[in-house]
Amino acid sequence: MQPFQCLTAPACPLPYANIDTDQMIPARFMKRSRAEGYGGYLLHDMRFSSSGREIADFPLNQTPYRNAQIIVARRNFGAGSSREAAVYALVDYGVRCVIAPSFGDIFASNSVNNGLLPAKVGERDGEALIGLLQETHAELTVDLEAQTISVKGISVPFVIDPVWRTKLLNGWDDIDITLSQADAIARFREEDSLIRPWVTPRIRDGAGQTTM
Amino acid sequence: MAGSPSGPRTLFDKLWDSHAIVTREDGQTLLWVDRHFVHEGSFHAFNKLTERDARVAHPELTFGIADHYVPTRRSGRSIDPAIQNMIDQLARNTLENDVLLFGLNDPRQGIVHVVGPEQGLTLPGLLIVCGDSHTSTHGAFGAWGFGIGASEVAHVLMTQTLWQRRPKRMRITVDGTLAPGIGAKDIALSIIARIGADGAQGHAVEYAGSAIRALSMEGRLTLCNLSIEAGARCGMVAPDETTIAYLRGRPFAPAGDEFERAAEDWLRLQSDEDAEFDREIILNGSEIAPVVTWGVSPEDALPITMAVPDPEVISDPSKAAQIRDALAYMDLRPGQKLTDVSIDRVFIGSCTNSRIEDLRAAAQVLFGRKAKVPGLVSPGSSLVKQQAESEGLDRIFKEAGLEWVESGCSMCVGMNGDIVQPGERCASTTNRNFKGRQGPGARTHLMSPAMVAAAAVTGSLADVRRLIEERS
Ligand code: SF4
């Protein structure tokens, strides 16, 4: 996984609350293989009209924001479906950080697993950043070590779970860490099967049907 | 941290403690996963396994279910190759890893969150995950169910564990008695309207109170299902005799003496009397009215007796902008009475409201009446379908003019091709009124099955209580 330390890049304001993962990638694109890249489907129905034309009003379609690697949105970004494809769409488009006052829990953990930083800011700071980006198209600097977002002499703090911060800073993947716990897992399993013998499903041959 | 093993603990703390393998200094805990459900969308995770040359570590705890892409009109029709490929891919991945699959033609097939409980795979005290956000549903049994993304699915497939940080605890208490025609869906939408679609973010929710205790398992499943729409990590109801009675005799649940022993353990899964919650919400059940959504987030919900909100009188500019945007998408006027909103079609189905009790509630309203608009009824599982047909419910739906089809996610998400046409307005028993959720440009109003039936009969959003009164 690509580590995230400090990024200075163009940012795009998305002044909407509740941008859910269905918006980030509509369900109809999810049959496609990741190898094709999901960037083209990012926020598809917000970016494109039903005839496939770009919607000029949409910030990401405007020249200064088109190459954004940072997105600033309103509350509850990434609510809804657990589809990691929403994160793939952002990452494949080139986005490395999303700034918002709150995030869907599953979306946030999916982000971290893909090297995308979900940076949580105060509601007022978020509004200030959106306002500033609408006026000036400035680049933002997101410093994960210092947990600050700065632009033109202004600096606002953001929060992130410390464990996620460490993971992002180092580009760590959980699986290797977990595999090193194999003995503890095996021990747990053995003791647990005595304490909770009912956990293992009773599978009947050709498993019968319920009568309800 | 509160909830240490020595002090009084909440139900959630007990579930947490019984699954913790190791806790790191930084507060991350490695948890044992008891059940893992995979579906067609899990292909990204299986691909990650292939990349690492790994196999499913515990196939006996992993179950595959075809639901998101399955066609609901199966006999004699050819299936879109891209959709068939999704279903075949799941069959291959489960077969290669010795994972039991409830596939397209299995008589037990259905929506994962309906089949798990129905088969007795969902039990109290279990930690259940699935690459689907509505895994919170399983909490109805006093289990800990939550949705995960593809990277986490791959992690569970390879290790049967997950790293988590302990969430905060929230208790939502609903006392009092629900009025006739009011169900779990109305409770859930009332909660979401009150605390917001992100109101329970970072929290494990426990539902308590007399109105919750009085709910059947079907009602509790609906309630816990919608926890995610309030942003919760999970939602749960402590096991009681209703839970035990539902589970007895289920195919994969323990049987005989083993069941009785397990039931004793399960009934002990309760929050201690003086356990503390980080947040408490209290609702009066007798004040809950039938609820419908008017906007594009489940938090945009109001009692059916109300009118569409007016952004001009909202002082918070970002909230006003949110309402304006929702009304434009939904093509509604500020101040318009909700009962004046006419609809184009109805959908009864999804993991939220497609169980037998849901179908009975809708059929009761539809019996002897005609629907003014077309609509689809998709039972939550093939077994629910069978049960409904044995009760004659299918005839009631068909005689009312609705289409009775096979089970699957269907029009909840439109992946199988069942979509609401652009610009059409649908009264739906599903869980998400997001823009385009039921198809590009589709307009969704969420409500209970009885309310959808009422909307079908009147051709507009309607108060089901009026239709119930007409009968008596
Ligand atoms: S019915 Fe809808 S919400 Fe439920 S699992 Fe299927 S797609 Fe998800």
Side-chain angles (χ1 to χ4, degrees):
Chain A
M1 196 179 88
Q2 194 186 352
F4 188 110
Q5 280 136 1
C6 187
L7 172 74
T8 299
C12 176
L14 291 180
Y16 310 97
N18 296 325
I19 298 182
D20 56 75
T21 53
D22 272 82
Q23 305 306 309
M24 275 181 245
I25 182 164
R28 61 189 188 279
F29 301 118
M30 286 171 48
K31 297 189 282 293
R32 319 250 174 125
S33 145
R34 174 80 190 277
E36 297 169 26
Y38 279 16
Y41 316 130
L42 175 67
L43 295 164
H44 188 279
D45 295 348
M46 294 175 94
R47 276 163 69 200
F48 303 102
S49 71
S50 52
S51 61
R53 293 270 274 283
E54 276 194 0
I55 296 169
D57 292 357
F58 192 66
L60 215 48
N61 289 335
Q62 295 162 3
T63 317
Y65 304 125
R66 212 176 265 281
N67 299 318
Q69 292 176 48
I70 300 166
I71 281 176
V72 188
R74 289 195 171 132
R75 59 175 267 270
N76 205 22
F77 189 89
S81 157
S82 61
R83 58 185 72 170
E84 198 161 303
V87 174
Y88 301 159
L90 284 162
V91 169
D92 291 356
Y93 186 89
V95 177
R96 301 277 340 268
C97 171
V98 180
I99 300 166
S102 63
F103 293 95
D105 283 330
I106 308 175
F107 170 81
S109 70
N110 289 344
S111 297
V112 172
N113 284 328
N114 288 276
L116 174 78
L117 167 64
K120 200 163 148 178
V121 292
E123 200 113 17
R124 271 220 217 119
D125 288 339
E127 288 304 315
L129 290 173
I130 287 175
L132 192 134
L133 290 172
Q134 285 173 329
E135 280 162 29
T136 67
H137 320 138
E139 288 199 337
L140 297 184
T141 298
V142 180
D143 185 339
L144 180 54
E145 195 80 56
Q147 289 186 226
T148 56
I149 300 157
S150 42
V151 53
K152 297 189 171 171
I154 311 168
S155 172
V156 303
F158 68 86
V159 274
I160 180 158
D161 178 310
V163 175
W164 285 356
R165 179 170 167 270
T166 312
K167 243 175 100 168
L168 283 164
L169 285 170
N170 297 291
W172 280 340
D173 193 333
D174 283 339
I175 292 197
D176 299 316
I177 304 171
T178 310
L179 293 175
S180 73
Q181 296 287 347
D183 291 346
I185 298 172
R187 232 177 3 247
F188 174 93
R189 176 78 168 135
E190 206 172 305
E191 285 168 19
D192 182 54
S193 60
L194 300 174
I195 305 170
R196 302 187 304 149
W198 35 264
V199 166
T200 308
R202 181 174 62 92
I203 302 180
R204 281 190 196 146
D205 285 339
Q209 299 189 2
T210 55
T211 42
M212 281 192 294
Chain B
M1 177 179 276
S4 66
S6 51
R9 294 180 299 160
T10 66
L11 166 59
F12 179 78
D13 294 320
K14 293 180 186 182
L15 292 175
W16 176 277
D17 293 341
S18 65
H19 290 85
I21 301 168
V22 286
T23 298
R24 292 198 314 234
E25 257 174 43
D26 60 16
Q28 285 283 99
T29 298
L30 187 65
L31 299 162
W32 177 258
V33 173
D34 297 312
R35 292 282 185 282
H36 186 192
F37 295 115
V38 293
H39 56 84
E40 300 96 310
S42 308
F43 74 96
H44 289 293
F46 279 103
N47 290 348
K48 283 176 201 279
L49 250 66
T50 312
E51 276 167 30
R52 285 193 167 237
D53 211 9
R55 285 179 59 79
V56 174
H58 286 276
E60 80 285 7
L61 302 178
T62 312
F63 295 86
I65 295 179
D67 58 4
H68 281 66
Y69 287 88
V70 299
T72 46
R73 300 164 184 94
R74 284 178 209 157
S75 54
R77 298 210 194 190
S78 61
I79 302 179
D80 174 322
I83 286 175
Q84 183 72 53
N85 178 48
M86 293 298 287
I87 296 167
D88 293 347
Q89 194 168 233
L90 174 69
R92 261 195 321 273
N93 283 327
T94 47
L95 182 70
E96 281 169 10
N97 283 282
D98 296 321
V99 169
L100 180 65
L101 171 70
F102 301 99
L104 182 58
N105 297 315
D106 192 298
R108 301 161 297 181
Q109 178 275 341
I111 306 171
V112 54
H113 310 309
V114 177
V115 173
E118 190 173 76
Q119 289 298 319
L121 283 163
T122 302
L123 300 172
L126 299 188
L127 195 168
I128 301 172
V129 298
C130 171
D132 186 283
S133 55
H134 290 96
T135 310
S136 61
T137 312
H138 305 260
F141 289 83
W144 173 14
F146 59 99
I148 56 179
S151 297
E152 293 170 317
V153 170
H155 189 279
V156 178
L157 289 175
M158 281 189 250
T159 67
Q160 202 61 30
T161 64
L162 260 186
W163 291 98
Q164 294 279 298
R165 169 185 290 279
R166 194 191 286 252
K168 293 191 191 133
R169 283 79 32 95
M170 180 189 288
R171 178 162 56 192
I172 302 181
T173 305
V174 189
D175 282 319
T177 311
L178 300 179
I182 313 291
K185 183 70 159 281
D186 301 298
I187 301 180
L189 289 175
S190 302
I191 293 168
I192 300 163
R194 162 116 159 242
I195 68 174
D198 53 358
Q201 252 164 27
H203 287 78
V205 172
E206 179 175 347
Y207 298 98
S210 56
I212 307 295
R213 285 279 144 241
L215 290 175
S216 65
M217 282 322 295
E218 281 85 353
R220 296 177 191 185
L221 286 157
T222 301
L223 182 68
C224 291
N225 173 280
L226 290 163
S227 306
I228 182 70
E229 305 311 329
R233 287 298 283 147
C234 59
M236 53 185 66
V237 177
D240 58 13
E241 288 305 332
T242 307
T243 322
I244 305 299
Y246 179 98
L247 287 170
R248 198 172 264 123
R250 299 274 157 186
F252 289 80
D257 288 349
E258 281 174 36
F259 183 87
E260 302 312 324
R261 206 212 119 182
E264 281 175 30
D265 287 355
W266 294 338
L267 289 170
R268 276 197 294 272
L269 292 168
Q270 310 283 333
S271 285
D272 295 333
E273 204 147 312
D274 32 11
E276 275 186 35
F277 290 81
D278 298 280
R279 214 176 142 196
E280 297 258 14
I281 308 276
I282 297 170
L283 265 76
N284 183 348
S286 57
E287 285 171 7
I288 295 174
V291 177
V292 297
T293 63
W294 51 267
V296 293
S297 161
E299 70 187 15
D300 300 336
L302 282 172
I304 182 69
T305 48
M306 308 275 281
V308 174
D310 182 353
E312 301 314 318
V313 301
I314 305 285
S315 53
D316 174 353
S318 75
K319 179 78 199 159
Q322 191 185 327
I323 296 175
R324 227 169 269 128
D325 177 62
L327 296 190
Y329 182 84
M330 294 298 290
D331 190 26
L332 294 172
R333 289 189 321 275
Q336 188 176 1
K337 279 177 67 184
L338 287 168
T339 46
D340 287 346
V341 176
S342 58
I343 56 158
D344 302 305
R345 69 171 54 245
V346 299
F347 176 64
I348 297 173
S350 89
C351 59
T352 307
N353 280 128
S354 62
R355 299 176 183 82
I356 190 69
E357 201 176 87
D358 300 315
L359 300 182
R360 284 179 194 144
Q364 209 180 353
V365 174
L366 286 166
F367 177 72
R369 291 176 168 140
K370 291 272 180 251
K372 283 197 178 143
V373 293
L376 205 61
V377 186
S378 175
S381 73
S382 304
L383 291 177
V384 170
K385 182 165 188 267
Q386 215 177 68
Q387 170 84 18
E389 286 171 359
S390 77
E391 294 179 17
L393 305 183
D394 58 321
R395 282 205 316 276
I396 298 176
F397 291 121
K398 286 188 270 192
E399 279 165 17
L402 302 180
E403 203 181 343
W404 175 251
V405 298
E406 304 287 335
S407 86
C409 292
S410 183
M411 211 174 269
C412 172
V413 68
M415 285 178 174
N416 74 337
D418 293 344
I419 58 167
V420 174
Q421 294 305 313
E424 266 190 358
R425 188 183 299 286
C426 180
S428 181
T429 66
T430 53
N431 40 58
R432 288 187 173 139
N433 50 345
F434 299 164
K435 289 177 184 171
R437 168 78 177 186
Q438 293 191 292
R443 299 182 174 122
T444 305
H445 294 272
L446 305 176
M447 63 199 81
S448 73
M451 284 286 284
V452 167
V457 169
T458 52
S460 58
L461 304 183
D463 192 335
V464 67
R465 291 174 299 189
R466 301 263 307 275
L467 282 90
I468 295 174
E469 277 163 23
E470 270 175 33
R471 292 243 205 252
S472 52

